[in-house]
Amino acid sequence: MPVLNQRDRYGWGMISIHWLVAVTVFGMFAFGFWMVDLDYYHAWYKKGPDLHRSIGVLLLTVMLLRLVWRILNPPPAVAAGLSAREKIGARLVHWAFYLMILLIATTGYLITTADGRGLLVFDWFEIPAVTLDIENQEDLAGEVHWYLALVMMALASVHGLAALKHHFINKDQTLMRMLGKQHKETP
Amino acid sequence: MKVLFRALLLSCVALAGSAQAADYEIDTRGAHAGIQFKFKHIGISWLVGRFNTFEGKFSFDEDAIANSKIAVDIDVTSLDSNHAERDKHLRSDDFLNVKKFPSASFVSTRVVDLGDGKATVYGDFTLMGVTKEIAIDASVVGMGNDPWGGYRAGFEGTTTLNSKDFNLVLPPGNEVELALYIEGIRQ
């Protein structure tokens, strides 16, 4: 399988990124949901958010690289037999993922940096804070971060269920080609 | 006629009293006042924070300190411990639940003059919807004409709360020290 996307199939590059991001997005939601209710004396009370922030920065970086990749090496056309409405819907959800991850990462950054301290990515480097002078910025950003994450989970569920529907009901190549198991001669 | 006479007499007494005790407004606009809190962090050191927004008035009579009165309203949402994520946590329903209880207040009920510019100020402190009597150890810091044509009086006061009295669990020990530094401008 080639690394780059072809006209009729995904390359393994995009396939790897897709699954890596999928696991990370669901993982980050579950991890974030778990860590915010940790007891103050829990061993992960400090480690958890540190890791969540660092992974968040990496996830956003991957999404930005993926966007560039997508523009330079577009994905294949959608599987044959989709209605115009399905095509538009799929497209909207795909682009919404980019927007949502950008917004979720930004609001997360705004919680952490609300008092002017930078965001530490592991112990590699620090992203400086931007002073916006919004009153109780951390509370506002926190609420938006949470609701956007819920929307993201809803969209990702729709995306996943749609893929299953294509596989089991429409019996087309939509899911298989994201698993790299597409046959060269598709109907 | 007798009733009218008594009313007149009473109002004369009241006027005489208020002529002696001067009313002051706490200079929160010029921020010559502060309310700090501190409690133990994991039993190892002190965590210090403050409330940035509050207002208050007091009346003070140098010759009859026991007649003094003070009332302060605190905007609990203005909590500031110099760390946005901690502030967010302290404001959340894990601790101060500021959405439900955005303000706290202190209204003095009696003042016991201890001499030497010191006094114990008893009063009702309301926090998280619970009102309890507390005692503040207060002392005069200084008073006199300010350089801009006004007259000011400054005080400091400290008290130790058991946060559990106000349904606020702050482990370990639930002990919170509050310190007030106030400068009033005579009205």
Side-chain angles (χ1 to χ4, degrees):
Chain A
M1 199 202 312
V3 63
L4 294 177
N5 301 326
Q6 309 296 306
R7 200 179 310 179
D8 62 340
R9 62 191 296 186
Y10 281 104
W12 63 262
M14 269 298 201
I15 291 176
S16 312
I17 293 178
H18 171 269
W19 290 108
L20 177 71
V21 167
V23 169
T24 309
V25 163
F26 279 102
M28 282 287 273
F29 182 83
F31 187 56
F33 190 77
W34 171 75
M35 76 180 194
V36 292
D37 281 328
L38 283 182
D39 182 79
Y40 193 74
Y41 292 84
H42 195 283
W44 276 84
Y45 183 86
K46 205 186 158 309
K47 261 191 289 197
D50 285 346
L51 194 60
H52 186 84
R53 282 186 282 256
S54 300
I55 294 174
V57 171
L58 295 186
L59 176 61
L60 178 63
T61 310
V62 167
M63 283 305 272
L64 294 176
L65 292 174
R66 186 183 182 182
L67 184 64
V68 174
W69 187 326
R70 204 188 159 105
I71 291 165
L72 298 177
N73 175 216
V78 290
L82 267 73
S83 71
R85 233 177 55 190
E86 280 179 309
K87 282 182 189 169
I88 294 170
R91 234 153 211 274
L92 277 178
V93 171
H94 293 165
W95 286 108
F97 284 149
Y98 288 88
L99 181 67
M100 293 304 293
I101 288 180
L102 176 67
L103 293 176
I104 293 169
T106 307
T107 48
Y109 164 85
L110 290 175
I111 305 170
T112 295
T113 58
D115 58 30
R117 281 185 183 77
L119 187 156
L120 199 61
V121 181
F122 297 106
D123 52 357
W124 305 341
F125 61 94
E126 194 179 277
I127 302 173
V130 174
T131 311
L132 297 176
D133 209 19
I134 300 169
E135 202 178 338
N136 294 352
Q137 179 182 316
E138 59 274 21
D139 293 327
L140 188 63
E143 295 225 348
V144 178
H145 188 72
W146 163 243
Y147 287 113
L148 288 178
L150 289 181
V151 173
M152 180 74 194
M153 283 300 103
L155 284 176
S157 304
V158 167
H159 177 76
L161 289 172
L164 292 176
K165 180 227 170 214
H166 279 284
H167 186 71
F168 291 110
I169 297 172
N170 301 33
K171 300 195 192 299
D172 62 26
Q173 293 288 327
T174 305
L175 179 61
M176 290 321 277
R177 66 183 197 169
M178 193 42 98
L179 290 165
K181 285 183 179 160
Q182 181 188 17
H183 299 292
K184 193 79 183 139
E185 306 81 36
T186 43
Chain B
M1 201 58 204
K2 207 173 166 188
V3 175
L4 185 66
F5 179 71
R6 272 184 62 181
L8 269 170
L9 193 69
L10 273 172
S11 57
C12 284
V13 171
L15 276 172
S18 68
Q20 297 247 309
D23 290 324
Y24 292 80
E25 198 165 303
I26 297 173
D27 186 17
T28 41
R29 175 165 286 273
H32 294 113
I35 298 178
Q36 291 188 341
F37 60 82
K38 65 174 187 175
F39 54 88
K40 288 266 175 72
H41 178 237
I42 57 172
I44 287 175
S45 70
W46 289 107
L47 183 275
V48 184
R50 63 188 193 189
F51 294 102
N52 288 334
T53 310
F54 58 94
E55 55 182 21
K57 288 177 175 173
F58 61 87
S59 73
F60 179 71
D61 180 353
E62 216 175 329
D63 299 321
I65 287 177
N67 292 341
S68 302
K69 287 187 175 75
I70 178 164
V72 180
D73 285 313
I74 303 168
D75 175 3
V76 184
T77 65
S78 71
L79 176 144
D80 180 357
S81 71
N82 191 26
H83 186 320
E85 285 170 334
R86 177 171 53 221
D87 296 348
K88 181 175 184 296
H89 194 201
L90 287 172
R91 284 192 287 254
S92 76
D93 55 11
D94 282 354
F95 297 103
L96 288 161
N97 198 357
V98 301
K99 265 194 189 156
K100 202 169 167 203
F101 307 111
S103 59
S105 66
F106 176 76
V107 181
S108 69
T109 47
R110 67 202 158 93
V111 175
V112 176
D113 186 359
L114 303 174
D116 234 8
K118 293 190 192 319
T120 305
V121 181
Y122 294 90
D124 295 326
F125 185 58
T126 305
L127 180 68
M128 296 182 73
V130 180
T131 303
K132 285 251 154 75
E133 181 177 78
I134 62 168
I136 299 176
D137 299 320
S139 60
V140 179
V141 177
M143 60 184 66
N145 292 317
D146 66 30
W148 317 286
Y151 186 91
R152 295 177 184 235
F155 303 86
E156 60 181 283
T158 55
T159 188
T160 303
L161 301 176
N162 181 346
S163 69
K164 261 197 147 166
D165 288 347
F166 302 91
N167 300 329
L168 175 61
V169 177
L170 279 174
N174 296 306
E175 229 172 58
V176 184
E177 290 189 18
L178 279 179
L180 289 85
Y181 303 95
I182 55 173
E183 181 176 300
I185 306 172
R186 195 161 72 188
Q187 298 300 295

